[in-house]
């Protein structure tokens, strides 16, 4: 499976006020946080998920399942501790890489998975979630 990333995603800037469920969030208009960015990229590929914040996403079993073997479009969570609250969310695109949007980069970035673990804010890989029925 090839993960298509349309040009409009490369134009999105980070906006922490645009989080899942935020009254200010309208897709990618006005920027997005990491979760909104990942969820919108999933939608582009025909996969929908409710507006779950990172800790709710990690605890969820109705719409997602935890997985050990990664597949493209799996959601990945990292944090500075093993706590899913406030975790950074990216999307696995294959070839040991993930796409994400972060405050530090302020734009889309594609990193090898190892690079996340080298960052103080993402030094703990919490795990991966797969949207059921994707």
């Amino acid at each position: 499976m090839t993960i298509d990333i349309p040009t409009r995603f490369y134009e999105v800037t980070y906006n922490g006020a645009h989080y899942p469920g935020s009254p200010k969030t309208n897709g990618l208009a006005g920027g997005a946080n990491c979760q909104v960015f990942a969820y919108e990229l999933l939608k582009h590929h025909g996969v929908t998920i409710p507006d779950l914040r990172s800790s709710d996403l990690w605890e969820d079993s109705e719409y997602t399942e935890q997985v050990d073997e990664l597949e493209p479009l799996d959601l990945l969570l990292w944090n500075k501790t093993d706590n899913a609250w406030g975790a950074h969310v990216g999307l696995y695109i294959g070839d040991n890489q993930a796409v994400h949007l972060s405050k530090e980069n302020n734009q889309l970035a594609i990193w090898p998975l190892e690079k996340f673990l080298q960052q103080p804010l993402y030094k703990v890989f919490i795990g991966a979630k797969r949207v059921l029925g994707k």
Side-chain angles (χ1 to χ4, degrees), residues 58-98:
W58 186 243
E59 294 172 7
D60 173 68
S61 60
E62 183 176 352
Y63 303 101
T64 63
E65 65 181 344
Q66 291 182 32
V67 294
D68 294 323
E69 304 245 346
L70 298 178
E71 292 180 4
L73 301 180
D74 285 344
L75 293 157
L76 308 176
L77 291 86
W78 296 271
N79 208 345
K80 56 187 169 192
T81 69
D82 63 357
N83 189 341
W85 189 90
H88 183 60
V89 176
L91 195 64
Y92 187 67
I93 60 172
D95 294 327
N96 206 40
Q97 296 185 73

Side-chain angles (χ1 to χ4, degrees), residues 2 42 75 107 112 122 133-134:
T2 302
L42 281 174
L75 293 157
Q107 62 187 19
Y122 314 139
K134 74 169 187 171

Side-chain angles (χ1 to χ4, degrees), residues 17-26 51:
H18 290 194
Y19 54 85
S22 164
K24 298 177 181 180
T25 303
N26 183 16
D51 288 335

Side-chain angles (χ1 to χ4, degrees), residues 2 8 34 36 44 47 81-83 105 117 119 122 132:
T2 302
R8 66 187 173 97
C34 60
V36 169
H44 171 75
V47 179
T81 69
D82 63 357
N83 189 341
N105 291 334
L117 302 175
Q119 312 303 311
Y122 314 139
L132 297 171

